[in-house]
Amino acid sequence: MTYPEELMYTKDHEWLRRRDSKARIGVSSYAVEQLGDVVHVDLPSVGTKVSEGEAFGTIESTKTVSDIYAPCNGTVIAVNERLLDEPEAIAHNPYEDGWLIEIEMEGQENPNLMTSRKYMDYLQSEH
Amino acid sequence: METMTTIIKKTPMYENHLAHSAKMVDFSGWSMPVFYNKIIEEHEHVRKYVGLFDVSHMGEIFVRGKGANSFLQKALINDLDLLSTGRGQYTALLNEKGGMIDDLLVYKLAEEEYLLCVNASNTEKDFLWLQKIAEGLKDLTLKNASEDFAQMAIQGPSSEECLEPFSSYKTSKKLNSLEYGEIATLEYEDGQAFYIARTGYTGEKGYEVYMPKSLASLFWKKVLLTEELTKVKPIGLGARDTLRLEACYPLYGQEMDETVSPLEIGIGWATRLDKAISFIGHEAILEQKEKGLERRLYAFNMLDSAIARSHMKVFQDGKEIGFVTSGSVLPSLGERGGLALLNISLLDEQKPIEIDVRGKLKTAKITKKPMYKAKIKN
């Protein structure tokens, strides 16, 4: 499993890729491994407000439904439409083709975001 | 204060599962493999080739001795007089109100000797219930062998070829001519008895094998050694669930519990109201049959992009008409769908239904049962 260094991570296994005031959000390869096969994704529409730590969508595997939590506050400006037809893209490539939403960030940055090194330490400490 | 510790039980194949990098989950007190790789791939592998399932969490109860037949006729809904030695049938235990205590398979091993294969979560409950019914029957022996027995299922078009390593064992019936519903008693090299029945829970041709724990690991390995010929792979319980759902086989805890009757889940064919000795719950079932059913199990396919899950409410024309009992992707059908217990008189089968999926109403349509036509007799 890989955790690209240019991304920031949450304890709930989302990642965040910042570009100025915009950020792309997805889930980590650890999350993907836990899910097994991804069979459905429910995402908010463009214009929806998301709040740090609150669920903005769900990822479903054959057995379970998992909430996806926003890593920071913002407004949805793009949604990965491809996932509606091809949810398995999340499992195949969680950091590129498998991105979920893009937001315009608002307010203060979440101080609990982890670097890839810190996130890996966190995963180790959990297991 | 006393501390409660829950001991999670491990099957004899536990180490093998870890070696195959299985994802293990707690399933009614047992650590069981939910998948090894991907549930959908495993599902398709069983439909196309064959899979080996560890189902050792399931319970085995032996009933032996004079009066075993009449005792079980009273306890079980199906008619044992229709069963010849070396055959099994699908049946159930009901409470007095006609509710499902469990669904199970019963095999007639010999005159007055039966093997019951019950659900893991109900084994203790079933055994206590059977003991209660057996009170005063001195010649009868009830044995809960679940802790000493392992159970495996071999399911798929190539399942027969997976039994080749056991063809030289002493057996009561030739394995390659075993018909659907038949059970063979085999003798292992050390003289221990084990049983291979042609049955299953996937909708494919297959077998379930009941054996003392000490044989399990070797049996498992011998089946997997046929891989080159059969393409057999270990398959997790996740795929077992999607396979049985497509075939519309009900699952205890999902489609049924003690408030649901066998008629409601569509096993009226196994509910023998006409047999010589009436089963417990007979009166309640008869009354329900005479009055007519209020609800029954329907299969549905999603029209909207969503997956309905168990307990989600079902509506039609704004009226609540029941709930989903099981829902999933249905890999062999290329659909999403499941089973739901719905009010018969409120439902118009020709019109779409709506399912409350986490606060959003998603459209589905009623479809014919079974969604996947079983190939068990091929």
Side-chain angles (χ1 to χ4, degrees):
Chain A
M1 276 182 279
T2 56
Y3 305 103
E5 282 185 13
E6 68 275 21
L7 308 181
M8 299 295 278
Y9 299 84
T10 70
K11 285 186 174 178
D12 300 312
H13 315 293
E14 289 87 16
W15 56 257
L16 179 108
R17 186 194 299 272
R18 287 196 60 163
R19 198 163 292 149
D20 304 324
S21 63
K22 295 177 177 60
R24 213 167 235 208
I25 295 165
V27 292
S28 76
S29 50
Y30 174 83
V32 164
E33 163 129 342
Q34 294 302 305
L35 283 164
D37 25 8
V38 177
V39 294
H40 187 68
V41 189
D42 215 1
L43 297 173
S45 43
V46 171
T48 308
K49 294 240 179 223
V50 299
S51 315
E52 183 187 312
E54 284 183 20
F56 67 80
T58 53
I59 297 184
E60 296 192 46
S61 68
T62 318
K63 292 304 286 178
T64 55
V65 186
S66 307
D67 284 325
I68 325 159
Y69 300 96
C72 55
N73 296 322
T75 304
V76 179
I77 53 170
V79 176
N80 188 358
E81 301 281 351
R82 178 185 172 171
L83 297 180
L84 302 177
D85 293 326
E86 206 189 321
E88 61 274 17
I90 295 177
H92 294 153
N93 193 343
Y95 303 111
E96 299 293 337
D97 298 345
W99 66 277
L100 301 173
I101 57 169
E102 213 165 83
I103 62 166
E104 180 73 40
M105 290 190 288
E106 287 151 20
Q108 289 196 327
E109 189 170 337
N110 178 356
N112 298 319
L113 291 175
M114 293 175 276
T115 62
S116 91
R117 183 173 296 270
K118 265 195 163 168
Y119 178 61
M120 280 191 274
D121 289 345
Y122 167 71
L123 290 178
Q124 287 245 302
S125 69
E126 289 287 286
H127 294 280
Chain B
M1 214 170 82
E2 211 177 333
T3 344
M4 293 276 287
T5 44
T6 323
I7 297 161
I8 302 283
K9 291 182 266 192
K10 291 172 182 169
T11 80
M13 268 69 70
Y14 181 77
E15 295 299 330
N16 296 317
H17 299 323
L18 296 188
H20 277 94
S21 58
K23 179 164 171 66
M24 305 298 287
V25 293
D26 175 10
F27 191 89
S28 23
W30 292 82
S31 178
M32 301 302 291
V34 62
F35 58 80
Y36 298 87
N37 183 24
K38 297 265 159 77
I39 292 175
I40 293 172
E41 280 170 24
E42 290 175 21
H43 175 113
E44 284 162 353
H45 196 87
V46 172
R47 291 265 185 258
K48 203 169 169 192
Y49 306 109
V50 59
L52 175 62
F53 302 75
D54 178 9
V55 285
S56 297
H57 59 312
M58 302 284 285
E60 296 84 8
I61 295 170
F62 286 90
V63 181
R64 293 187 178 103
K66 202 166 155 256
N69 174 281
S70 52
F71 159 73
L72 287 175
Q73 284 288 54
K74 190 178 160 192
L76 302 171
I77 62 171
N78 210 331
D79 190 353
L80 290 171
D81 290 344
L82 303 171
L83 205 58
S84 49
T85 297
R87 283 190 170 270
Q89 69 184 189
Y90 179 70
T91 188
L93 288 166
L94 304 188
N95 58 29
E96 275 96 358
K97 290 177 180 164
M100 299 282 296
I101 290 176
D102 202 0
D103 69 330
L104 60 133
L105 291 170
V106 58
Y107 297 101
K108 185 174 180 181
L109 300 175
E111 285 303 321
E112 305 283 38
E113 183 180 346
Y114 296 90
L115 165 62
L116 275 53
C117 170
V118 302
N119 281 298
S121 54
N122 293 333
T123 307
E124 290 295 316
K125 179 181 79 169
D126 293 355
F127 192 64
L128 288 172
W129 177 254
L130 289 168
Q131 277 181 318
K132 209 173 113 190
I133 306 169
E135 258 171 40
L137 300 172
K138 289 191 188 67
D139 299 325
L140 203 65
T141 315
L142 296 185
K143 191 181 175 213
N144 181 2
S146 307
E147 297 284 315
D148 310 319
F149 263 66
Q151 193 180 133
M152 273 167 244
I154 304 168
Q155 300 281 303
S158 305
S159 50
E160 193 181 310
E161 289 75 13
C162 292
L163 297 180
E164 177 55 33
F166 313 100
S167 59
S168 60
Y169 287 50
K170 206 176 149 190
T171 178
S172 65
K173 273 185 181 150
K174 273 191 78 173
L175 294 180
N176 59 11
S177 56
L178 216 56
E179 287 173 21
Y180 182 72
E182 284 193 311
I183 186 165
T185 306
L186 288 91
E187 198 180 298
Y188 192 65
E189 289 149 12
D190 61 4
Q192 288 195 85
F194 68 105
Y195 310 92
I196 299 183
R198 175 126 178 235
T199 183
Y201 197 49
T202 60
E204 297 302 325
K205 177 183 180 175
Y207 303 85
E208 287 184 0
V209 187
Y210 315 97
M211 71 197 92
K213 263 181 168 176
S214 56
L215 303 184
S217 196
L218 198 72
F219 184 93
W220 179 266
K221 281 175 189 147
K222 282 194 177 197
V223 171
L224 289 184
L225 278 176
T226 68
E227 186 188 350
E228 211 172 303
L229 176 74
T230 62
K231 293 197 161 65
V232 65
K233 278 202 322 193
I235 305 290
L237 295 183
R240 192 169 189 250
D241 191 41
T242 53
L243 289 159
R244 71 91 198 168
L245 184 56
E246 287 183 342
C248 292
Y249 295 150
L251 172 62
Y252 201 91
Q254 301 274 109
E255 278 67 44
M256 58 188 127
D257 58 31
E258 294 203 18
T259 68
V260 177
S261 92
L263 303 183
E264 291 174 325
I265 54 165
I267 57 167
W269 57 271
T271 313
R272 301 287 179 164
L273 290 162
D274 56 348
K275 67 176 174 175
I277 301 173
S278 292
F279 57 84
I280 294 170
H282 174 278
E283 289 302 312
I285 296 299
L286 192 66
E287 193 189 317
Q288 192 178 51
K289 199 170 182 177
E290 279 165 0
K291 270 170 53 184
L293 289 180
E294 274 179 29
R295 58 177 187 176
R296 75 170 181 87
L297 203 60
Y298 290 88
F300 64 88
N301 286 340
M302 298 303 302
L303 296 171
D304 278 342
S305 167
I307 300 170
R309 304 280 182 175
S310 59
H311 307 300
M312 287 180 177
K313 289 177 179 172
V314 180
F315 298 85
Q316 193 172 56
D317 298 328
K319 260 194 229 124
E320 191 175 332
I321 59 167
F323 59 95
V324 174
T325 55
S326 293
S328 174
V329 284
L330 305 168
S332 306
L333 311 174
E335 297 271 359
R336 294 137 182 238
L339 295 168
L341 263 178
L342 304 178
N343 185 298
I344 296 166
S345 58
L346 292 179
L347 174 72
D348 179 347
E349 289 184 46
Q350 305 308 317
K351 290 194 341 200
I353 54 171
E354 287 179 313
I355 302 171
D356 183 346
V357 179
R358 292 180 295 279
K360 290 177 199 158
L361 287 180
K362 303 285 184 180
T363 312
K365 68 169 176 9
I366 300 296
T367 185
K368 256 172 60 184
K369 279 195 303 180
M371 297 184 278
Y372 179 85
K373 204 169 173 309
K375 297 172 180 164
I376 47 179
K377 291 177 184 171
N378 286 13

